Amino acid sequence: MEPSLYSSSPPYLRTTADAYDAVAVRYAEFVRDSLDALPLDRAVLAAFAELALASRGGPGAGAVAGAVAELGCGPGHMTAHLRDLGLDAFGVDLSPVMIDLAREAHPDLRFEVGSMDALDLADGELSGILSWYSVIHTPPREIPSYFAEFRRVLAPGGHLLLAFFESEGEPVTAFDHKVTTAYRWPIDDLAGLAREAGFVEIGRMLREPRQDERFRRGHLLMRMHE
Ligand SMILES: C[S@@+](CC[C@H](N)C(=O)[O-])C[C@H]1O[C@@H](n2cnc3c(N)ncnc32)[C@H](O)[C@@H]1O
């Protein structure tokens, strides 16, 4: 644990980091090949990658920055998937143990300990952000400040892909996630907060839970105003 990151932060960040530190090895094993059986998830990631690549260059393209960050990258398997899709990807996570595992598994990629609500990145530095089930532990009242930080570090025209647990007709709801408290969101509510932060929706994908999953999955693909 790096005290400087947590000393002045809200307690839920330390709780989340400690909880993921404790389960990191088992979690990494559990998710390592998970995308293999999820064609719809791969499809939405491929769409994000294609858009992020296109927005980097070409005449009239808005975003000129190159890098794509996976924020809340855990053991780094999704960051590696983005790299395999052609992106210049790196990962950031609260949990130092997760970051150690990510560096060990993917020594060719960059991983840093940090919180996605206070990134050590310059304004407009990124052409894309992937948040794959990583804002699920964020208390709902904090989400606007997370989206404001995403907006700050994205170049105009940059892309954001969010994956989360959908609330299936209920209002935003806390639930007993296996690692630490998490929240299920109505897709319209999360899309609305992203719009208020300056994002434009490109599209969305809902996926029903598989037999081994509890909840419907939500995916929002957004672009920052040019
Ligand atoms: C459910 S895991 C998802 C990990 C990875 N994206 C995946 O799909 O396997 C959530 C991750 O988000 C990280 N996380 C939660 N809040 C964070 C924050 N504020 N900043 C950075 N990472 C955070 C946790 O430490 C954890 O590794």
Side-chain angles (χ1 to χ4, degrees):
M1 182 77 57
E2 295 178 12
S4 57
L5 178 61
Y6 303 100
S7 51
S8 60
S9 303
Y12 80 89
L13 286 181
R14 177 177 277 275
T15 305
T16 304
D18 288 349
Y20 275 98
D21 276 352
V23 301
V25 171
R26 265 182 301 140
Y27 182 91
E29 184 70 18
F30 181 67
V31 296
R32 198 180 51 208
D33 301 318
S34 54
L35 272 181
D36 293 354
L38 297 170
L40 287 177
D41 296 40
R42 292 200 307 276
V44 79
L45 286 158
F48 166 72
E50 189 175 328
L51 289 167
L53 279 169
S55 66
R56 268 196 218 175
V64 290
V68 171
E70 190 198 356
L71 301 180
C73 62
H77 66 119
M78 300 296 300
T79 317
H81 187 71
L82 295 181
R83 183 266 324 273
D84 295 345
L85 291 171
L87 295 171
D88 174 15
F90 69 99
V92 175
D93 201 281
L94 269 185
S95 155
V97 181
M98 285 291 197
I99 291 298
D100 285 346
L101 292 174
R103 287 175 178 155
E104 204 178 302
H106 309 287
D108 55 322
L109 294 177
R110 179 159 70 90
F111 295 98
E112 304 292 343
V113 176
S115 179
M116 59 184 135
D117 66 332
L119 293 161
D120 189 14
L121 296 173
D123 294 0
E125 188 173 331
L126 300 178
S127 59
I129 290 176
L130 174 65
S131 166
W132 197 254
Y133 298 99
S134 60
V135 294
I136 60 171
H137 303 295
T138 303
R141 67 179 177 282
E142 305 288 346
I143 290 288
S145 65
Y146 278 56
F147 286 174
E149 181 68 345
F150 293 1
R151 179 190 173 137
R152 182 186 72 77
V153 297
L154 271 178
H159 290 86
L160 167 65
L161 176 59
L162 290 169
F164 53 95
F165 299 103
E166 219 274 333
S167 66
E168 299 170 50
E170 300 296 318
V172 60
T173 310
F175 73 95
D176 57 338
H177 183 276
K178 278 189 187 134
V179 181
T180 185
T181 302
Y183 300 86
R184 300 167 59 199
W185 276 88
I187 194 164
D188 284 337
D189 288 13
L190 213 47
L193 290 176
R195 269 198 305 276
E196 282 170 24
F199 290 93
V200 177
E201 183 172 339
I202 296 171
R204 53 179 67 191
M205 194 271 279
L206 288 172
R207 176 173 71 70
E208 295 305 317
R210 296 175 354 149
Q211 261 186 342
D212 57 340
E213 296 174 335
R214 290 164 76 189
F215 304 122
R216 182 184 292 162
R217 308 306 176 100
H219 306 79
L220 280 170
L221 187 51
M222 320 282 296
R223 187 182 65 245
M224 226 191 83
H225 273 303
E226 309 259 335

